[in-house]
Amino acid sequence: MMRRQIKRLLLVAALLGSWGLLPAQAQSAAKTPADFGYRHLRTTFGRDTVDVLVMSKPGEEQRRKPLLLVVQGSLPRPLIVPHAKGAYNWFGFTPKLYTDAYHLVIIGKPGIPVLAEQTELQRNLSYFEPQTQAPPPAYCQRNHLNYYVARNNTVLRYLVNQPWVDSRRVVVAGHSEGSNVVAKMAATSRRLTHVVYLSGNPLGRMSTMVNQQRNADPTVSADDAFRNWQQIVDKPGEVTCGPGDSPKTTYSFSEPPMQYLRKTRVPVLVVYGTRDAGAPFCDYLRLEMIRERNTRVSFKEYPGLEHNFFGFKDGKVDYENQYHWDDVAQDFLSWVEGKPMNAVKPERNDGVTP
């Protein structure tokens, strides 16, 4: 039963190109973050109120522990979307496996409610205002790299001053779009001790889009992608509010994160599946870090896994049997603690050797 549910939820995640979705622990029909195992904190960034959710081991909410901040990927999604068995979560891995050692933190998107019913959302679980059928203007205006980096750094300053946070170990992990955010945080934040860069492209979003277009049909030119990029570069500060990202958003996330990883103040672990569209660019970064003798950036590849760390069977992503998010999380937390990482060996049945 659980495998069928996970498969159904992660089919949605694959279509969205975002975090893998996992069911939270079963809960009754509840309407506050506390009912789903979260503390709901609020702090400020400039004139904005920022929603912060913290998941801790029950009974140990005030116990001093290290912090693991997870930076989610794209789209204006609420942090909590209830369903029949509990709620979707955006950690990717199973949160309760890591609350013995860490307080887990996730930050809401600007202008987006913390909790919303699935019936209020788009099919991809994005929040659109009923009147405009578009995201709230507050989200559109703030949905860019520099906002998220500055806001997250401010939230970290707030969190590390809490008595239940052990500031000797403050870890941030970002997946997909979130990887761009944590890369720049690595070069700018003085509160972090470790950074985990998951399924990113060190050369930026547009290079992934070009690569995906070429892989979709190698016989078709990628000129459309380059023309789109030229239009974005012509108006890099333009903010639009619709189903797709504005030029300002795409421009900011197309800045090569490689420039920040080169300047990182803290150790960074670059994690990727070799069948992700961004994998060749992570390979390139690895070559450059070796050439530059940069030992602050380490790498962990997962042969045969895709963007959300699933394997393949018969040439298709196997959502039912090859979920590896918890393996990945165990590996990167082992790296944080200075322990060896265990190689994931996905089952294969598509004629490709890992």
Side-chain angles (χ1 to χ4, degrees), residues 153-170:
N153 286 344
T154 298
V155 171
L156 276 180
R157 286 197 294 272
Y158 162 73
L159 289 172
V160 297
N161 288 317
Q162 303 306 308
W164 42 270
V165 173
D166 184 348
S167 60
R168 292 173 298 177
R169 181 173 293 167
V170 178

Side-chain angles (χ1 to χ4, degrees), residues 43-54:
T43 186
T44 57
F45 171 58
R47 296 183 178 181
D48 294 347
T49 298
V50 182
D51 292 298
V52 181
L53 295 186
V54 183

Side-chain angles (χ1 to χ4, degrees), residues 16 110 141 266 268 284 301 318:
L16 304 181
Q141 293 160 7
V266 295
V268 175
Y284 170 69
E301 66 172 55
D318 184 357

Side-chain angles (χ1 to χ4, degrees), residues 71-72 144-145 147-153 172 174 176-188 195 197 253 257:
V71 180
Q72 71 270 45
H144 58 88
L145 178 65
Y147 177 87
Y148 290 125
V149 171
R151 183 203 64 176
N152 290 4
N153 286 344
V172 63
S176 195
E177 181 179 281
S179 69
N180 296 58
V181 178
V182 302
K184 193 164 185 178
M185 290 176 69
T188 58
V195 172
Y197 178 94
F253 285 107

Side-chain angles (χ1 to χ4, degrees), residues 16 23 38 72 94 104 108 114 118 123 134 140 156 165-166 169 187 210 218 226 242 257 268 282 296-297 342:
L16 304 181
Y38 294 102
Q72 71 270 45
T94 307
L104 307 182
V114 171
Q118 192 164 345
R123 290 184 64 185
C140 300
L156 276 180
V165 173
D166 184 348
R169 181 173 293 167
V210 170
F226 287 105
V268 175
C282 291
R296 284 192 179 272
V297 182
N342 297 318

